């Protein structure tokens, strides 16, 4: 195998996706054109880039299998037209015969071929104080396969949004050699304000990897609001890019992926880990019987 290249120019497209494919395709095509003009090697899009629609009946009328999905087809054509790698965020797909969707991520090579796929493993089933519960699993089936893909720049890992809270997935990617990990996202405003930056930085530092997280931002057609702040975080924890809240907007960031190798050489925590057993003791003080002397 030839030695991995180190220098990568990444374009992050921050979106405010609509409830139909066509306007999202138009934004993606503009991003691809502008990313190529800026000399980018790779375009990264956010979660639900292809379709953000919580009206189930409206979504059912549009969501197709991966091979029939119009957004993925357009992204493949854009990659081919502009000689560009595209991590197409995610889009909902519906496998043949399935009742529920999959939150489906792909990596597309410059020849238009889909070289890696990943279905979101950890679904966003949460209940925030003062807000209605969010149950992604009521509409989506979870994936069960992590995906590490070998590229000219070395291995890249794939994840989606809520996966960021499951550190073992990122550690497994790093132990398998990932220099960069994608986190396309649509974070809520509440959780974004509290946790977005610190989670991205933690995963980068723990794994010695670049974390590339394109995000949704703004008030969406289907009534949801998302946090924005697409980010690129370096293996030492520095924020190389914070896109703020404007959407749609394209941002360019230059990466030296050898920094992942250097960070791991300095702090080899991936190889320093030790096996252990978890013990548990009951140290609670039992109530004294008042009749006892």
């Amino acid at each position: 195998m030839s030695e991995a290249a180190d220098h990568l120019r990444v374009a992050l497209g921050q979106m405010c996706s609509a409830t139909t494919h066509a306007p999202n395709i138009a934004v993606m095509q503009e991003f691809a054109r502008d990313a190529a003009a800026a000399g980018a090697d790779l375009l990264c899009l956010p979660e639900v880039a292809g379709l953000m629609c919580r009206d189930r009946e409206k979504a059912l009328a549009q969501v197709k299998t991966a091979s029939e999905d119009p957004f993925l087809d357009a992204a493949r054509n854009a990659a081919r037209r502009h000689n560009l790698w595209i991590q197409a965020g995610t889009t909902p797909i519906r496998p043949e015969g399935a009742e529920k969707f999959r939150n489906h991520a792909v990596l597309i090579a410059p020849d238009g071929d889909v070289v890696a796929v990943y279905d979101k493993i950890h679904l966003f089933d949460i209940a925030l104080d003062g807000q209605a519960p969010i149950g992604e699993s009521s509409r989506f089936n979870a994936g069960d396969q992590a995906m590490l893909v070998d590229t000219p720049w070395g291995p890249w890992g794939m994840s989606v949004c809520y996966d960021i809270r499951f550190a073992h997935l990122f550690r497994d990617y790093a132990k398998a050699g990932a220099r960069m990990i994608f986190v396309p996202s649509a974070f809520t405003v509440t959780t974004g304000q509290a946790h977005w930056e610190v989670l991205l930085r933690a995963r980068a530092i723990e794994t010695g990897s670049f974390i590339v997280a394109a995000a949704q931002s703004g008030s969406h057609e289907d009534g949801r609001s998302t946090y924005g702040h697409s980010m690129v975080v370096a293996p030492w924890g520095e924020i190389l890019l914070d896109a703020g809240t404007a959407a749609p907007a394209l941002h360019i960031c230059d990466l030296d992926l050898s920094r992942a190798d250097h960070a791991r050489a300095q702090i080899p925590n991936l190889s320093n880990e030790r096996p252990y057993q978890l013990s548990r003791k009951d140290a609670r003080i039992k109530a004294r019987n008042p009749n006892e002397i």
Side-chain angles (χ1 to χ4, degrees), residues 89-247:
T90 76
T91 198
I93 62 147
R94 189 181 182 194
E96 197 71 44
E99 290 294 319
K100 295 182 181 181
F101 304 150
R102 293 279 183 140
N103 198 342
H104 187 69
V106 302
L107 179 65
I108 303 168
D111 61 3
D113 284 351
V114 173
V115 295
V117 301
Y118 172 81
D119 291 333
K120 185 178 181 181
I121 292 174
H122 301 100
L123 300 183
F124 193 53
D125 292 344
I126 60 110
L128 300 177
D129 288 346
Q131 300 183 27
I134 299 173
E136 189 177 9
S137 64
S138 67
R139 302 175 64 216
F140 288 83
N141 282 323
D144 59 8
Q145 294 289 321
M147 175 57 66
L148 186 76
V149 54
D150 290 312
T151 77
W153 296 272
W156 296 345
M158 298 179 72
S159 76
V160 176
C161 201
Y162 192 50
D163 285 328
I164 194 67
R165 296 181 184 271
F166 298 85
H168 57 281
L169 173 63
F170 289 75
R171 189 170 184 84
D172 286 346
Y173 278 141
K175 289 175 72 174
R179 296 170 114 193
M180 188 169 79
I181 303 172
F182 299 111
V183 194
S185 297
F187 250 62
T188 70
V189 174
T190 301
T191 57
Q193 290 172 340
H195 301 149
W196 175 245
E197 178 185 320
V198 70
L199 284 170
L200 296 177
R201 294 186 69 198
R203 296 297 90 82
I205 293 165
E206 291 165 353
T207 64
S209 304
F210 283 90
I211 302 296
V212 177
Q216 294 281 350
S217 184
S219 298
H220 295 263
E221 187 181 357
D222 76 347
R224 281 179 280 190
S225 295
T226 49
Y227 180 63
H229 294 277
S230 299
M231 285 191 184
V232 177
V233 184
W236 206 250
E238 315 98 298
I239 298 172
L240 303 182
L241 170 68
D242 181 338
T245 58

